[in-house]
Amino acid sequence: DHTPEVRKRHRELSTESGPSSANGAMVFLRRVYNYARKRRLDPKLPHFNPVDSIDFNPQQRRDTAMGAAELAGWYRRLMKLPNPVRVEFHLFCLLSGSRPGALTVARWEHLDMKRRVLHVPKPKGGERRAFDIPLSRAMIACLARVRRAGRMVNAVNAAEWIFPGEGARSHKPGFEGHIVAYQEDREALPKFGGDLRQTYKTLSPEAGLSKTDVMILMNHADGDVSDGYMTRSKVAEAYLRGQQETM
């Protein structure tokens, strides 16, 4: 019975790495254990998953969104960043509400200008959650600017990656050439990454978008039972582009 050891490790991680990291480690362990038991990788594994005995640390969602009144000040600071590719990356994150990790690996081959969408083949959740980001006029202008900027920052990789990196920030095994570390000094740019995704979601009611519109545009998991009956791929692209334009 490994239950006491798992509980002890969770307490240790909570102290060493923080409540959120400890919870994340245990969630991962639970998935691995369930997979091993399902695949019968070890017939001696007990049926009871030891992680199920843990009292997870309480967590609160980070409240880091900007209000509409803060956007102009944020934009002025964004324009002062020295790397024009990173400027357009953060702006595109805000305009799309996308997870930043999905945009760092965006390729030009994923862009379909005829349909005005950017395809995301492997978002959070894997290939089965692949989706298209409808492009507003502001987003298309952003992509046009970053194409020019990419040639100046990293001409070799700009032909492949929409947001090419530079120097050490562009190197990661298997993904050489694109932005990897998108974080900025918060003195220079106080909001980036997940903050901008939260901002998109926070401002969507003010723009008049419905919960369902936002769920599709941000590729959120189904919110309730009724959402599961909706076939997202059948929602008219022209309608979604219009809602993106509104945002």
Side-chain angles (χ1 to χ4, degrees), residues 36-113:
R37 190 177 61 196
K38 181 179 179 180
R39 298 288 183 176
R40 298 181 180 177
L41 301 182
D42 185 348
K44 296 180 181 180
L45 279 177
H47 180 73
F48 176 73
N49 191 320
V51 178
D52 291 339
S53 68
I54 289 175
D55 291 327
F56 280 81
N57 298 311
Q59 292 178 240
Q60 292 184 337
R61 185 181 292 273
R62 293 173 63 240
D63 183 14
T64 61
M66 290 183 284
E70 300 174 77
L71 293 178
W74 176 85
Y75 184 78
R76 285 193 293 270
R77 297 175 80 165
L78 175 69
M79 291 297 104
K80 293 179 181 179
L81 294 182
N83 185 326
V85 170
R86 297 178 73 83
V87 168
E88 301 301 339
F89 174 82
H90 296 305
L91 182 57
F92 198 88
C93 281
L94 176 65
L95 293 172
S96 65
S98 175
R99 291 182 175 89
L103 294 183
T104 60
V105 293
R107 302 170 183 261
W108 288 112
E109 67 186 65
H110 298 154
L111 178 63
D112 186 339
M113 283 303 299

Side-chain angles (χ1 to χ4, degrees), residues 158-175:
E160 178 180 4
W161 303 104
I162 292 180
F163 300 103
E166 63 172 356
R169 292 189 178 214
S170 68
H171 296 294
K172 182 179 180 182
F175 295 101

Side-chain angles (χ1 to χ4, degrees), residues 79 95 174 221 227 234 237:
M79 291 297 104
L95 293 172
D227 294 334
K234 300 300 182 182
E237 288 183 353

Side-chain angles (χ1 to χ4, degrees), residues 204-230:
S204 60
E206 191 172 335
L209 271 67
S210 71
K211 174 186 173 183
T212 301
D213 294 336
V214 178
M215 181 184 72
I216 298 173
L217 290 171
M218 299 183 72
N219 201 36
H220 275 161
D222 295 340
D224 53 43
V225 175
S226 63
D227 294 334
Y229 289 99
M230 181 180 61

Side-chain angles (χ1 to χ4, degrees), residues 10 31 43 47 117 123 140-141 150-151 167 175 180 190 204 210 226 244:
H10 181 245
R31 290 174 179 171
H47 180 73
V117 298
I140 291 174
R151 292 168 181 159
F175 295 101
V180 174
S204 60
S210 71
S226 63
Q244 192 79 287

